[in-house]
Amino acid sequence: MIPSSDEKRKLYQLSLKQVKEALADETDITALLASVVCILKTNLPHGFWIGFYRVDTKNPRQLVVGPYQGTFGCLRIDFGAGVCGTCAERREAVIVADVHQFPGHIACDAASASEIVLPLFDQTGSLYAVLDLDAVKLGAFDEVDQHGLEAILEIIRKKL
Ligand code: SME
């Protein structure tokens, strides 16, 4: 089920509140990323697969999977490849209403139909990771998701 815009706003407000409360005193990055994924996966009914791909420090043109919840995710994605790699290359959010129409989409799970991917920067402005959400319905994500997720990523960015 895809929530209405009003429902989405409430779900993101709740998620932001939980993230702020749960992570206020935490600095460990794995704990932060894993907990954000858990909170989002618990709250968002349209989030079939939710997780982070981190920039590989040994190969900075490649993403490597980080904390996620969902079915088995591809381990590595090159910059420029698929939706995640496109987000990493452009350094901006990418919303795809129908992944089958997106050239080079990487189908980790054939059930995925739409997707949103957002960049997570550190405090120096370097790309640290991307946050990827997949849905089994077409057109599940829009600007309401983007703004809700950006507010949550901002909490993490301040700790990077
Ligand atoms: N579909 C993504 C790959 C990651 S998975 O969906 C978990 C992409 O095209 O980048």
Side-chain angles (χ1 to χ4, degrees):
M1 153 213 147
I2 305 174
S4 68
S5 293
D6 278 350
E7 287 167 338
K8 281 185 181 180
R9 282 188 198 95
K10 287 187 188 134
L11 293 169
Y12 284 113
Q13 275 168 14
L14 171 68
S15 302
L16 182 62
K17 183 169 174 283
Q18 291 177 341
V19 166
K20 281 181 177 166
E21 286 172 2
L23 307 183
D25 300 325
E26 187 53 68
T27 55
D28 182 89
I29 188 60
T30 304
L32 294 170
L33 300 185
S35 302
V36 165
V37 168
C38 177
I39 287 169
L40 291 174
K41 187 76 175 83
T42 303
N43 290 340
L44 302 179
H46 55 319
F48 160 71
W49 193 100
I50 301 181
F52 287 94
Y53 279 90
R54 295 164 297 122
V55 177
D56 185 0
T57 46
K58 295 187 197 114
N59 181 359
R61 293 280 300 163
Q62 198 171 62
L63 299 165
V64 59
V65 77
Y68 69 94
Q69 291 198 13
T71 53
F72 188 81
C74 321
L75 293 184
R76 289 178 180 271
I77 300 173
D78 288 329
F79 274 44
V83 187
C84 290
T86 299
C87 171
E89 188 87 282
R90 293 187 192 160
R91 295 169 55 89
E92 62 186 28
V94 181
I95 298 173
V96 179
D98 180 354
V99 295
H100 302 107
Q101 307 301 321
F102 189 89
H105 167 252
I106 301 162
C108 297
D109 189 316
S112 175
S114 60
E115 187 162 350
I116 182 170
V117 186
L118 304 102
L120 170 62
F121 301 104
D122 66 19
Q123 291 188 58
T124 71
S126 295
L127 185 71
Y128 180 80
V130 301
L131 172 61
D132 178 20
L133 285 80
D134 290 43
V136 296
K137 301 271 186 198
L138 294 168
F141 302 108
D142 56 21
E143 285 70 22
V144 178
D145 297 277
Q146 181 180 341
H147 295 143
L149 293 165
E150 282 172 350
I152 289 167
L153 289 177
E154 181 61 13
I155 305 289
I156 309 176
R157 189 191 67 79
K158 288 182 183 155
K159 292 170 177 274
L160 287 173

